[in-house]
Amino acid sequence: MSNIKQIYFCPLTFLFILILDFGVSQEYNWSANLRFRARTDKASSVDWQKTSATITETRSRLGLDILGEYASAKFILQDSRYLGNVENTPGVTAATASPFLHQAYFTFSNLKIPFFDYDFVKIGRFELALGNQRLIAKNNWNNIGRSFEGFLGKDNFLSGELLLMHLFINETMDESHDDKKDVVIDGVYWTKTIPFLAQNSVYDVYFLNFRNMDFLGSENSLASYNNIGLRFNGQNDNFVLESEFTLQNSSGTSSKNDVSASLFSFNLGYKPAGTRFLNSVFLGLDRISGDDSSTETAEGFSKEFGARHKHHGFYDYTDHKKYFGHDHDGLNEINVRANFDILKRTNLLVASHNFRSSVKDIYYGNEVNFIFKTKHNDEVSSEIGSVFYFPDQGDKKTLPFLYLMITANF
């Protein structure tokens, strides 16, 4: 099968580049991103007081942009691995895991299609981040990251930017192939700037439909739901407000489950002017609704493709690590974050998180973060993280997580 794919892939790629060569004008841009990260293992089986358990990761990306007047293409070849993993066959004369295309898509602009006049249409495999990535995220912290496959169109609408998307998540390809059983995300995401506030102040309105989201094999092939949400991000003088509210329900879908869930986030910040060290300080509240087992309605909010570390700390404590599906206890979180310039090129983030379930009143504990980020020059940056989790349950009093990350961009 791999040989067949190579036979078709190589000439198709060559043909596409050849077509672009006959265009009016093209530019070719190469890029590279290399990331090294050494970190402690957070597995619950590791007793850090008795055992030294570390993991070393690398992620390498090589990108090619082919830019034409009406059509462009982007290819990003990626290699992600744990150094010393037996699957790499290090030191052995054997084939190792192959790199893969993290992104491979075409972009068509200046199209004149009846009823549609998109600024661009993107087709293929690509990264996608919506708003503050609570629902759709790139997961850049992960050593692999996340790519979506499908169609993405952008146009100007009511003085704002409108995104239309159709994303394939799991296409049924067996003998019983049925489009109605495909796992698909369809959505509309509209963003508009707020002119009377500071630059980059926007509000977002969106509708996302998640169809057939059954990854647990429960044979409920119609586990579908909608997300209807509003997000605001604005700054006036020194004060910043970022907030998002989303309702999740199964109304109008063919789902066998009755879903009624919500997500609410509120972040109030202050950015002082004229201070030497303090950049900003934020107070944040996050609520992810949990499921009440006494009802037939699924009240747990599903964040199947949303970011975690970007909002809820770095540790990934077992009891509130992920919010997949609707059968979970939810989350009530209070966090305080402060950002400091401690050296000419070094920034320090100090954050504290308090975690509690949104149902059953389960107190999980607290997390404290100290994250140092240094930009050494235009190509190389580094990040050192010291994270301490203080669980309220079990016999472990402190759970540490340390990491060193070095990134180079060319």
Side-chain angles (χ1 to χ4, degrees):
M1 180 63 71
S2 60
N3 291 333
I4 295 176
K5 289 183 178 179
Q6 291 178 3
I7 291 172
Y8 282 98
F9 179 80
C10 293
L12 286 175
T13 304
F14 174 77
L15 178 61
F16 183 77
I17 296 175
L18 186 64
I19 292 173
L20 288 178
D21 274 336
F22 283 98
V24 178
S25 63
Q26 294 82 36
E27 296 181 5
Y28 302 87
N29 296 329
W30 291 93
S31 63
N33 174 271
L34 310 174
R35 191 177 79 176
F36 165 87
R37 182 167 63 193
R39 60 181 178 87
T40 55
D41 191 354
K42 294 181 291 185
S44 58
S45 59
V46 175
D47 187 346
W48 68 272
Q49 294 179 328
K50 300 178 182 179
T51 305
S52 175
T54 58
I55 297 173
T56 306
E57 305 168 322
T58 62
R59 189 181 72 189
S60 307
R61 291 176 175 175
L62 178 64
L64 170 63
D65 291 283
I66 307 174
L67 307 176
E69 183 177 359
Y70 301 105
S72 302
K74 187 179 188 70
F75 301 94
I76 294 185
L77 189 66
Q78 175 171 308
D79 178 79
S80 297
R81 62 185 64 238
Y82 297 112
L83 296 186
N85 190 353
V86 65
E87 295 180 358
N88 303 339
T89 61
V92 180
T93 54
T96 186
S98 300
F100 61 95
L101 284 171
H102 178 66
Q103 296 192 71
Y105 62 85
F106 305 147
T107 301
F108 303 96
S109 58
N110 300 317
L111 297 179
K112 302 299 180 181
I113 304 175
F115 306 107
F116 295 95
D117 186 15
Y118 290 134
D119 288 340
F120 76 74
V121 175
K122 185 181 292 186
I123 302 174
R125 177 179 175 87
F126 46 81
E127 289 185 334
L128 181 61
L130 298 180
N132 210 11
Q133 304 190 48
R134 293 186 176 92
L135 293 181
I136 301 292
K138 296 187 295 184
N139 271 21
N140 194 49
W141 169 264
N142 187 277
N143 198 45
I144 297 176
R146 175 182 288 136
S147 296
F148 292 92
E149 298 177 355
F151 308 92
L152 186 69
K154 182 176 73 172
D155 198 5
N156 295 322
F157 180 73
L158 297 178
S159 301
E161 180 183 279
L162 180 68
L163 288 177
L164 301 176
M165 66 201 73
H166 180 72
L167 309 177
F168 300 96
I169 306 301
N170 191 343
E171 180 87 358
T172 56
M173 301 294 289
D174 54 22
E175 295 180 356
S176 61
H177 186 192
D178 185 352
D179 287 344
K180 294 181 179 180
K181 297 180 180 180
D182 294 342
V183 182
V184 173
I185 301 177
D186 290 308
V188 178
Y189 198 99
W190 183 65
T191 300
K192 183 175 174 58
T193 58
I194 307 175
F196 56 86
L197 295 180
Q199 187 178 9
N200 299 324
S201 295
V202 299
Y203 66 87
D204 307 330
V205 180
Y206 55 86
F207 174 85
L208 303 174
N209 173 255
F210 293 72
R211 195 178 76 200
N212 301 339
M213 300 291 292
D214 179 27
F215 299 115
L216 302 179
S218 63
E219 297 183 357
N220 176 18
S221 60
L222 299 177
S224 305
Y225 52 86
N226 303 312
N227 284 279
I228 304 173
L230 172 67
R231 176 177 172 268
F232 174 88
N233 185 18
Q235 180 174 349
N236 188 16
D237 295 329
N238 302 108
F239 289 94
V240 181
L241 174 62
E242 193 274 334
S243 183
E244 186 167 0
F245 178 65
T246 303
L247 291 175
Q248 198 170 79
N249 62 75
S250 56
S251 300
T253 71
S254 55
S255 178
K256 296 179 181 178
N257 295 332
D258 183 15
V259 178
S260 179
S262 63
L263 177 149
F264 176 68
S265 181
F266 181 90
N267 297 276
L268 181 63
Y270 179 73
K271 295 183 177 181
T275 59
R276 183 176 179 181
F277 299 107
L278 179 62
N279 279 336
S280 64
V281 59
F282 276 82
L283 171 65
L285 305 172
D286 281 275
R287 183 182 186 277
I288 300 171
S289 65
D291 183 51
D292 183 356
S293 58
S294 64
T295 68
E296 295 183 0
T297 302
E299 294 97 352
F301 190 92
S302 178
K303 286 185 62 178
E304 197 79 41
F305 302 104
R308 298 189 298 275
H309 299 103
K310 181 178 175 64
H311 303 289
H312 309 306
F314 292 83
Y315 193 83
D316 279 342
Y317 185 58
T318 305
D319 287 345
H320 60 88
K321 183 176 181 180
K322 302 175 182 178
Y323 295 96
F324 294 172
H326 307 284
D327 185 19
H328 57 74
D329 294 324
L331 178 69
N332 281 333
E333 176 190 346
I334 301 175
N335 57 75
V336 179
R337 310 180 303 278
N339 206 294
F340 303 91
D341 284 330
I342 59 174
L343 294 173
K344 184 178 180 179
R345 294 178 176 270
T346 301
N347 178 271
L348 169 63
L349 169 67
V350 179
S352 176
H353 303 260
N354 178 276
F355 301 105
R356 185 183 295 272
S357 67
S358 61
V359 295
K360 302 180 182 178
D361 196 30
I362 304 171
Y363 179 58
Y364 297 124
N366 295 279
E367 178 179 322
V368 178
N369 310 143
F370 300 93
I371 311 299
F372 295 85
K373 296 183 179 181
T374 303
K375 185 174 182 180
H376 301 280
N377 49 54
D378 292 338
E379 296 179 352
V380 181
S381 62
S382 65
E383 187 172 325
I384 300 175
S386 301
V387 176
F388 303 94
Y389 198 98
F390 305 95
D392 186 61
Q393 303 173 10
D395 56 354
K396 296 182 179 180
K397 301 301 180 182
T398 305
L399 299 174
F401 172 57
L402 310 173
Y403 71 89
L404 165 66
M405 187 160 63
I406 302 173
T407 305
N409 290 287
F410 306 97

